[in-house]
Structure formats: C-alpha cells, structure tokens
C-alpha cells in the first residue's frame, strides 16, 4: 500500500492568521469564567455560614428564647403547649442515638468486608460483591426510609414487644445499610494502597494471612480507615429522609433505642413541611438547629481532613 | 507437602485456626451485605408489583390508592434534573479545570488554591437538608430583599411562556433545580478532578511544546482525554440528584399536584417526594403504591448506573 495521502497530516492554518490580541482577550474571558467557578464554591460556603448565623441570631434575639437555654436546655417543645421550650439537647440526643446504632453496625461490618475484599477475596468473588455494594450505594435514602418503616420496624417489633411504631433502632439500622458501602469502599481503597512489600515481608516472617491483614496492613492503612469512618459518621448525622420516616417526631432525652426520638434533621423537615407559620419562633428555631448540624458535620469533615493529611504514611 | 505443614504443632494450629475463624466471620459479613440487598429488593417487589402498571405511569396522584399515579412527579423530576444538569455540569467541570490545570506556583495563590480544595471537600460533607435551607433562602426568597414570591419585583414574560421568570423565584422548578445543583456540584467537581488527574502529563507537555497556550492545551488535549471519566462521574451525580429528597422537600413541600409544571416558576413535585408522601401515610395500601413508585425510580437509577458502567468499561485503558 503505497498510495499517497493527498491530505497533509497536520492541517495548516489558512487565510489571515488570527489576531493575537483577539485570542488574548478571548482567553482572559475564559480564564475569568474559570476563576468565577472557583469563587462560586467559596461563595456557597460563605452564604451557608452567613444565612445560618444571621437567622440563628434572629432566633436568639426573640423574647421566648435565650442562647444559654438553647445550648443547655433539656426540653424541646416548640409546637405544643402554652409555654415553649427550646433546649436543643433532646434533638442532639436523637441524632446521636440513631448515629450510634448505625455506626455500631456499619463500622465493624464495613471494615471486615473491606479487609476481606482487599486481602482474601478471589477476583471472581469480588466481581459479585462490588456491584452489590455499588447498587446499595446508589439507592435513594427515601427507599431506605421506606424499608425501615415496612420491614425493619415490623421485624424488630416481632422480636421484642418494647419497640414503638417509630423507634431509633429501626432508623439506625437503615442508616447503617446506607453507610455500609461508603465505609467499605473507602476503607478498601485505603487497604489496597498499602504496598505489597509490607505484606510480603510479613509473610516471609511466617505470619498467617490473618496476622498480615490485621496486624500489618490494617495499622498501615489506619489514617485512611479513620477518615472513612468519620465521613460515614458525618453522613449518618446529616441523614434526613430515613429518620423523617422511621424515627418519629417526639423529641426526648433518652438512650433507649426502642423509643421514639426526633433527630435534628427530622425536626427541620417537620418545620418546613408547614407545621409552623413562616415567621414564628419555631420557624427560626430550625435555622439554629441547622447551624448546630452544620457545625457538627464541619467539625467531622475537618478532623477527617486533618487525619488524612497529618497521619498519612507515604510509601515510596 | 512437607511433614510440618500436615502435622503442625499446637501453637501454629491455633494461629491457623484464628485465620480460618476470621475467614468465616468475613464470609458472614459479606453474605449479610448481599442478604440485606436481597431482602430490600424482595420486599419492595412483593409490595409493589400489584400496582405497577401503565395506570401508575400515566396518571396523577389520587386520594384513592388504587387510582394513584406518578406521572406529574416523573415529569417534575425530569424538569428539575434538566435544570440541575444544565447549571451543575459547566460549573463543576470549570472548577475542576481551574483546580487541576491551573495550579499556581506563587505562595499566596497556592494557599488560596489549597483553601478552595478544602472548601470543596467540606461542601461534599454538608448535609443535603442544609442545602435545602440555603436554596430556600437564596433562591425561593432571594434573601427577602426582593419582595415576596406572591408579589414579585421583576418578571420576564407571562406564566403562559415556558421561560417565565420572576424574582424572587418562589417554590418553582428553577429553585428546585438550582438547589439540586448545589447538592451535586461537589460530586461533579471531585470526579472531574480525578478524571483530569488521570490524563498523563506527557500529553500536556506535548501540547505545550507545540506552542499551545494553556487554555488551548486544556481544550484540545486534556479535556477530550478526560471526557469519559467526567461523563461517568456526571451520570452518577445525576442519579444522586434524581433520588435526592431532603432539599426538594424543603423547597417544594409535599403538595397535592395533579398537573405537570408549565413554566420555570410553576409548582412541582418529584418522584422521591411523592414516594415520601405515600410512605408516610398510615394506610397499608398507600405503602404498596409507594413500593410501586420505588420500583419505577430504581429502574431509572439502574439505567443510569448501567450507562455509567458501560462508558467506564468502553474507555478504560
């Protein structure tokens, strides 16, 4: 085949060369657009902080509330009764209870599955488990809420009569299922990033697979695993639809997972669904609750970032 | 096989026993994951199969469970996801290009770059319900400086035009879509960054050596090479947007809507909202309709995920 290609490989520019000034103007316009994109992300964060703090301040200036009462009070009854109480602890307690139940299940289960996937499982088995986890990760949270309400709650009530129609345990288990793929995939990434040489060294010293996985690889990947745990906790704290459907709507200061609780996100949904007038104390209280929630997740994200940066071991 | 391995001393056999026990625990954990997914899908299918028919797909919701349909919610979901995609993809890819391709060397600028990066990690961790509140204040009410949604200070067109605009936006399609944009933006940015990072540096150096400016390099070389990765990430982000309920719940509320939205400011409902509405009712029969709705939603999401997997398989090198 020696046919000569009539077209040159590189298409040469034809006609008048493009003006350099025009190109420079165009490029600076595009560059300005790109910088605008970056500014937008910072503006989003700033707007969140400004809105939450301004509206929360407006809430604290109202006659029936005080800042001290908000952060130390143990009674939250904004909608019922003649005297309204705005003590945030029952809501925080609800959030923590649901998160604790979820993490007690999701963290060990997720870590064990991750260790198994990265250290033990054969490629064929991985090819089954990974899609299962991806499908679980893609399921909308409202579906998990429905699952909690129609499967987990009846199941728990069948096991033990003390569980209410709405209870923290059911919501917590559904949140656990939601967090499981996050923990597993992030922890597995951290474990797989540990270099082979560490494993081979341990095997060479006569360690069993269990000892390699648990005593060598897991400690080496600890910073990544802790970061994965913190991210899962942040997701569980901010989870809304599951708790709105399955945890109930009566804020109470309790540590009993069988009882009905109202986490912070559940309260916000209740307020914005129209149980309150648009300008009353209970409406602005949702902003104060949102600010509390935002602070909690911000703290978790920042700690996670710090752990990842500070304690990451870089292997050459 | 040597002698030692087949008749190990007791200390060694204890350690191997531990290994075997651990494998059993692992299998149990992994089996539990599969079992949970199985039970979840089975329970939804058994509850929802009865109401899953064309009547459900083509009709508005009703006060009677056997007549309820999901059509307006489906159209509403399509509209808000279109608004979300049109606004989130350019912004997200633009931010990713800025962060990956224009890393500054100067010290103060580099610090600013790190700050933007940390800020995006942070935005990815903000609960979606907080974005709902942000959207409520910033889009629905426009910080209460522009009058109220019922009495807008500025309008463009009339409610008969599809592009009808008003300030403030009110609880309409545009406000819902833009709020969803805020939720998925960090996801799109992070996945696009990963796609750009995977492009080999030699391509960039080649383009620069031929005399391209940095922007020509990005537009002609880096971006085309990263498109499959960006598309995969974007599709996954959009499937998140389709299933997201909390922010939309704050913006739109659970309202009884039997019509499809006609312009950008029109009231709407979305599939996750409709499902939440049905699931939160006490009647058993509405739970079955909710399960049917979930089956429709999951079918759409699985199609999206399958598309993402196919793109990833096709372009994986």
């Amino acid at each position: 085949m020696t046919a000569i290609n009539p077209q040159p490989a590189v298409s040469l520019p034809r006609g008048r060369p493009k003006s350099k000034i025009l190109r420079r103007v165009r490029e600076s316009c595009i560059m300005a657009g790109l910088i605008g994109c970056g500014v937008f992300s910072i503006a989003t964060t700033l707007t969140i902080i400004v809105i939450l703090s301004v509206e929360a301040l407006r809430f604290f200036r109202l006659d029936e509330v005080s800042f001290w009462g908000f952060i130390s009070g143990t009674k939250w009854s904004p909608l019922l009764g003649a005297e309204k109480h705005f003590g945030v602890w029952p809501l925080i307690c609800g959030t923590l209870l649901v998160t604790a139940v979820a993490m007690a299940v999701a963290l060990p289960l997720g870590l064990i599955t991750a260790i198994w996937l990265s250290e033990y499982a054969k490629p064929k088995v991985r090819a089954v488990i990974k899609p299962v986890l991806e499908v679980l990760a893609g399921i909308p949270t409202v579906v998990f809420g429905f699952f909690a309400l129609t499967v987990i709650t009846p199941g728990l009530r069948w096991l033990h009569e003390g569980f209410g129609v709405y209870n923290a345990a059911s919501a917590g288990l559904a949140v656990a299922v939601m967090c499981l793929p996050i923990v597993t995939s992030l922890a597995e990434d951290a474990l797989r990033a540990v270099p082979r040489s560490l494993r081979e060294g341990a095997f060479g010293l006569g360690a069993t697979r269990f000892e390699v996985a648990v005593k060598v690889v897991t400690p080496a990947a600890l910073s990544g695993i802790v970061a994965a745990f913190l991210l899962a906790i942040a997701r569980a704290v901010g989870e809304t639809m599951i708790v709105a459907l399955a945890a109930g709507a009566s804020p109470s200061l309790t540590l009993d997972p069988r009882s009905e609780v109202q986490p912070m996100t559940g309260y916000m949904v209740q307020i914005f669904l129209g149980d309150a007038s648009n300008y009353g104390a209970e409406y602005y209280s949702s902003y104060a609750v949102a600010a509390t929630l935002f602070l909690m997740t911000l703290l978790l994200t920042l700690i996670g970032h710090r752990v990842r940066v500070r304690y990451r071991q870089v292997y050459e | 096989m040597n002698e030692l391995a087949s008749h190990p001393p007791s200390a060694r056999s204890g350690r191997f026993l531990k290994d075997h026990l651990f494998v059993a625990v692992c299998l149990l954990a992994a089996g539990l994951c599969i079992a949970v997914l199985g039970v979840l899908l089975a329970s939804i299918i058994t509850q929802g199969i009865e109401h899953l028919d064309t009547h459900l797909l083509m009709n508005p919701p009703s006060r009677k469970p056997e007549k309820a349909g999901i059509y307006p919610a489906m159209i509403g979901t399509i509209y808000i996801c279109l608004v979300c995609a049109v606004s989130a993809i350019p912004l997200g890819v633009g931010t990713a290009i800025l962060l990956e391709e224009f890393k500054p060397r100067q010290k103060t600028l580099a610090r600013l770059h790190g700050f933007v990066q940390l800020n995006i990690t942070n935005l990815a961790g903000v609960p979606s319900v907080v974005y709902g509140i942000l959207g409520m204040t910033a889009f629905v009410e426009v910080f209460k400086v522009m009058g109220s949604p019922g009495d807008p200070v500025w309008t463009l067109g009339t409610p008969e035009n599809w592009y009808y605009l008003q300030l403030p936006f009110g609880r309409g399609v545009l406000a819902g879509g833009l709020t969803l944009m805020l939720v998925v933006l960090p996801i799109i940015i992070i996945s696009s960054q990963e796609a750009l990072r995977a492009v080999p540096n030699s391509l960039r150096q080649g383009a620069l050596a031929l005399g391209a400016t940095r922007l020509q390099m990005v537009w002609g070389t880096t971006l085309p090479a990263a498109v499959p990765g960006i598309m995969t990430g974007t599709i996954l982000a959009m499937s998140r947007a389709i299933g997201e309920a909390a922010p939309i719940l704050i913006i739109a509320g659970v309202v009884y809507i039997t019509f499809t939205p006609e312009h950008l400011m029109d009231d709407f409902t979305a599939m996750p909202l409709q499902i939440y509405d049905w699931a939160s009712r006490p009647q058993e029969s509405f739970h079955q309709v909710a399960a049917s709705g979930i089956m429709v939603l999951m079918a759409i999401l699985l199609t999206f995920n399958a598309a993402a997997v196919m793109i990833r398989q096709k372009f994986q090198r």
Side-chain angles (χ1 to χ4, degrees), chain A residues 27 34 37 41-42 45 48 51 116 120 140 146-147 149-151 180 206 210-211 240-241 269 287 297-298 305, chain B residues 15 18-19 22-23 26-27 30 33 94-95 98 118-119 122 129 133 137 213 215 243 249 276 279 287 294 301:
Chain A
E27 295 215 334
L34 289 181
C37 293
S41 77
I42 293 186
T45 313
I48 293 177
I51 286 176
W116 184 67
Y120 284 86
F146 178 78
F147 182 61
L149 201 61
T150 58
V151 178
L180 198 60
F210 172 72
E211 285 160 346
T240 309
M241 297 319 289
V269 166
Y287 281 94
T297 53
L298 181 71
H305 179 77
Chain B
R15 286 168 54 217
K18 234 188 224 170
D19 187 44
F22 187 69
V23 171
C26 286
L27 283 176
C33 293
T95 313
L98 181 74
L118 176 63
N119 178 44
N122 200 351
V129 65
I133 286 185
T137 317
T213 63
L215 272 172
L249 192 66
Y276 170 76
H287 288 179
I294 288 174
L301 291 180

Side-chain angles (χ1 to χ4, degrees), chain B residues 62-256:
Chain B
S62 162
R63 294 184 202 289
K64 291 179 186 147
E66 63 276 6
K67 285 194 175 167
I70 203 169
Y71 180 69
M74 260 163 68
I75 302 298
T77 289
I78 293 173
Y79 282 6
I80 53 173
C81 286
L82 273 180
V83 171
C84 170
V86 167
S87 54
I89 295 172
L91 258 177
V93 176
T95 313
I97 290 175
L98 181 74
L99 287 176
E100 280 306 308
E101 303 293 324
F102 296 95
K103 282 186 184 152
R105 295 221 186 89
Q106 201 194 329
K107 208 173 175 190
T108 42
L109 283 180
R111 197 167 283 173
L112 195 66
H113 179 269
F115 179 70
V116 175
Q117 186 71 66
L118 176 63
N119 178 44
I120 283 160
T121 319
N122 200 351
L123 282 178
V126 172
S128 55
V129 65
V130 173
Y131 283 117
I133 286 185
L134 173 64
M136 185 74 189
T137 317
F139 301 133
V140 175
E141 295 169 339
V142 193
F143 307 104
K144 294 192 182 125
V145 295
M146 298 272 197
S148 68
D151 176 28
V153 293
W154 177 82
T155 54
L156 173 73
T158 58
E160 278 86 55
N161 306 116
W162 70 266
Y163 56 81
Y164 172 63
L165 271 180
Q166 65 170 45
L167 271 178
F169 295 151
R171 295 166 174 258
V173 173
L174 189 62
L178 289 178
T179 308
L180 272 189
M181 176 268 282
L182 295 177
V183 177
V184 300
L185 194 58
I187 311 175
I188 294 186
I189 294 175
I190 290 171
S191 60
S192 304
Q193 272 189 290
E194 273 163 16
L196 285 170
R197 219 173 288 152
V199 175
N201 248 336
S202 52
L203 282 181
R204 293 193 182 93
Q205 286 156 357
L208 289 179
L210 287 173
T213 63
R214 279 199 99 80
L215 272 172
Q216 285 172 333
M217 170 199 89
V218 170
W219 188 248
T221 314
T222 328
L223 207 52
V227 157
I230 292 175
M231 267 170 75
T232 314
T234 308
I235 290 173
L236 289 179
M238 289 318 294
S239 70
R240 167 94 191 266
I242 293 173
E244 194 64 69
I248 304 294
L249 192 66
I250 301 246
I251 297 292
V254 169
V255 278
Y256 183 73

Side-chain angles (χ1 to χ4, degrees), chain A residues 8-26:
Chain A
V10 180
S11 63
L12 296 166
R14 276 177 212 160
R16 219 154 56 91
K18 277 183 191 161
S19 150
K20 230 175 198 174
I21 299 171
L22 212 66
R23 192 178 75 190
R24 203 163 284 170
V25 168
R26 219 184 57 184

